[in-house]
Each structure stands twice: as structure tokens, then as C-alpha cells.
Amino acid sequence: MTSHASATDAAPDTPRPRRSCLAVPGSNPRFLEKAQGLDADQVFLDLEDACAPLAKSDARHTIVKFLNEGDWSGKTRVVRVNDWTTEWTYRDVVTVVEGAGQNLDCIMLPKVQTADQVVALDLLLTQIERTMGLPVGRIGIEAQIENAKGLNNVNAIAEASPRVETIIFGPADFMASINMKSLVVGEQPPGYGADAYHYILMKILMAARANDLQAIDGPYLQIKNVDGFRDVAQRAAALGFDGKWVLHPGQVEAANEVFSPSQEDFDHAELILDAYEYYTSEAGGKKGSAMLGDEMIDEASRKMALVISGKGRAAGMRRTSTFEAPEA
Ligand code: GLV
Ligand code: MG
């Protein structure tokens, strides 16, 4: 279950907000300092592609120091390790989790291709947690889908461990792996005329929803083009994705906005929940469906309203209208 109450609880029970997931190179202390002051829901300290091979070893220790000594309050704290086809993964995990496991919420595993790659990380985390006296199972896993094999296996990957919290689309590596004819990450390849990402995004979203996980869209590299970022983010949000990576302070606010419900939708959802509760009660006539203004509401409306309301509440929204039961 993708859930969490506070950064250090052993038994998470409410969804962690992940509207904006900020990438920070683990080898760059200046960026690691700055990231703490940004309004991102999640921060991930990167040991993979934003960290040069020769810098990875020092970066592990830099990350441990920043996790232990930095102020990450209000943020989900994640470290992206290198993928299992490299020689770095085990040492990334051991150094970071032994050094800062109590100040870390999830490990992000890139380029996941099979369920057993997730199982391998789960087993390694369990051993480290036991050795270090940390609560076993608290550290979650975020699985990045970045090639055709990973996408084909995405359901099994999502089911591979109770630690899995999110499935993430990695567009840059994915585009390269399928030979997509474009170098502009996240934008549509020229000459196709439809949404080239629809199948990939939907497949990831279905695997996530079927397993009660969050679905996260990856990076948009044209960092100066906030309108372009917003368009791509909106595409994922419209389908039901929970958030998107941000690479630059300018993208944070746009992501938080796009992945939060509008005030109007939030108010509407809260009204539906109150009205449905009233009409199904003794006082409201124990009805299975009822009218809210011109709109008929029923159990399915309540479920849809719960999604919007849950996202709004997680984003700290407050309702601006209240339900009034009709005069008896
Ligand atoms: C992110 O890792 C990507 O490849 O897009
Ligand atoms: Mg990648």
C-alpha cells in the first residue's frame, strides 16, 4: 500500500503526497542544500544517471550526510541507486541504508526489468534493516520502468514486494530503448500525429492501480519551458497519474498545481461525500441514490469523490462550502 503518516513511522497508513518529485544529483552539495528549501513533495537524491561514475563512491557518503543532517521535513526522502546490471547497486544500498536508513523513506530502483530485481532489493533491505535494528519493511521501493522488458513485466514488478509504493515512467531511457525517433524527452515524436505515450502511461497506470500503488510520470528536460512542462504533466494527470518528476525549481509549483484538484472540484467532491452520507443515513431516508442539485449521486459517485477529496486533503486543501441537509 502506498501509504505513510510521517517520515519515520513504521506503519504507514495514509498516502504520501508525490505531486512533485525533485531530482537532486547526490554528488552536488550545493543542490542538496538548496533542495531542502523547495516546496517539492518528494526529493530523490540520485546516485544513478545524474551522478558521474567517478563521483558515485563519494556521492554515497555525501547523501548519507545530507539525509542525516539536512532538514527534509515535509518531504518524502528517496535515494535512487544504480540498476542491478551495474556493479554499483549493492554498495549504493548498503552504504546509504546502513548510514542513514532511519532518515530514508524509499529506495528508487531504475531500469527495473523483472520482478526478481525488486525481490533482490527487498531481501537486501531486509538484511540491512535487521542488522541495523531498523523496523523491517518500513523502507519502500519505487520501481522505474524504462524499457520494453520492464513494461511487459510491469504487473509482476508491481506485485513483487509489499515494499513497492510507486511505478515510475522513465521517458528518456524508454525512448532510447525502443528507438523512438525524438530527442526531446516527454514531447511527442514528429510525424506520428497521436499520443505516442498513451499505451505506456496507461499500462503503468493499470499496474499501479491494480496493486494500490502510485503512478508517477518522469522528467521533462526542457527546464526553461514551464508551459511545455505543464502540458506534459497535464496529460499524465488527466489519465490519473499522481505526480511527476521535477528537475528545476521552476517546475515545482506547476507540478503541485497540476496534480492537485481545482478548488471547485475539491469542494464538489466534499459536497458529494457529505450528501451521500446524509442520504444513505436514517435521517436522509436510507437512499441508494439521491439528487445533489441537478446531479444524481450514488455509490460510484462517492468513490470518484473520494479520489478527488483524498488528493485535495493530502495537498492541504480546505473546502470553501458546506452541505446543508434539506428541511424535513
Ligand atoms: C529517467 O530516469 C528517464 O530515463 O527518463
Ligand atoms: Mg532513466
Side-chain angles (χ1 to χ4, degrees), residues 161-328:
S161 159
R163 293 185 192 263
V164 180
E165 297 193 11
T166 70
I167 306 290
I168 305 167
F169 175 43
D173 276 301
F174 204 101
M175 290 165 79
S177 92
I178 64 168
N179 297 357
M180 193 181 268
K181 245 175 132 181
S182 169
L183 277 174
V184 190
V185 174
E187 290 289 1
Q188 299 298 329
Y192 179 55
D195 182 355
Y197 301 99
H198 184 76
Y199 168 74
I200 308 168
L201 290 174
M202 270 314 217
K203 188 151 180 180
I204 288 175
L205 184 63
M206 293 308 111
R209 291 292 172 261
N211 292 283
D212 217 357
L213 309 178
Q214 287 178 328
I216 305 295
D217 193 15
Y220 183 75
L221 271 61
Q222 315 287 105
I223 56 174
K224 298 270 162 66
N225 181 1
V226 178
D227 288 341
F229 172 87
R230 197 180 288 274
D231 286 348
V232 175
Q234 240 140 19
R235 193 172 68 200
L239 293 178
F241 271 60
D242 300 284
K244 182 168 175 63
W245 282 17
V246 292
L247 305 179
H248 187 262
Q251 296 179 334
V252 175
E253 198 184 323
N256 288 347
E257 190 188 307
V258 168
F259 289 96
S260 301
S262 67
Q263 186 67 45
E264 196 185 340
D265 285 349
F266 179 69
D267 285 345
H268 187 188
E270 293 279 318
L271 275 185
I272 290 174
L273 292 179
D274 283 355
Y276 191 67
E277 188 181 336
Y278 170 76
Y279 286 114
T280 50
S281 74
E282 194 81 45
K286 294 190 273 182
K287 299 189 178 101
S289 63
M291 293 303 286
L292 175 65
D294 291 340
E295 173 189 24
M296 181 177 261
I297 58 169
D298 65 4
E299 176 58 23
S301 327
R302 187 186 72 88
K303 288 203 179 87
M304 290 168 72
L306 268 179
V307 173
I308 306 278
S309 153
K311 286 197 178 189
R313 288 182 201 186
M317 293 177 79
R318 299 212 182 281
R319 63 193 296 172
T320 58
S321 56
T322 50
F323 171 72
E324 288 183 20
E327 308 259 319

Side-chain angles (χ1 to χ4, degrees), residues 13-83:
D13 56 8
T14 56
R16 302 179 205 261
R18 282 189 170 97
R19 296 166 304 171
S20 47
C21 305
L22 177 67
V24 191
S27 51
N28 190 322
R30 193 167 64 83
F31 286 179
L32 287 162
E33 202 59 63
K34 187 160 183 212
Q36 297 170 52
L38 299 178
D39 198 20
D41 288 342
Q42 165 171 317
V43 63
F44 77 86
L45 316 186
D46 196 12
L47 284 168
E48 204 221 15
D49 287 355
C51 199
L54 290 178
K56 289 187 197 287
S57 176
D58 285 348
R60 294 180 184 126
H61 299 284
T62 308
I63 284 177
V64 166
K65 178 170 149 36
F66 272 88
L67 284 174
N68 288 338
E69 296 170 17
D71 177 5
W72 304 102
S73 40
K75 293 181 177 52
T76 297
R77 303 150 303 175
V78 178
V79 172
R80 179 166 72 163
V81 297
N82 289 279
D83 81 273

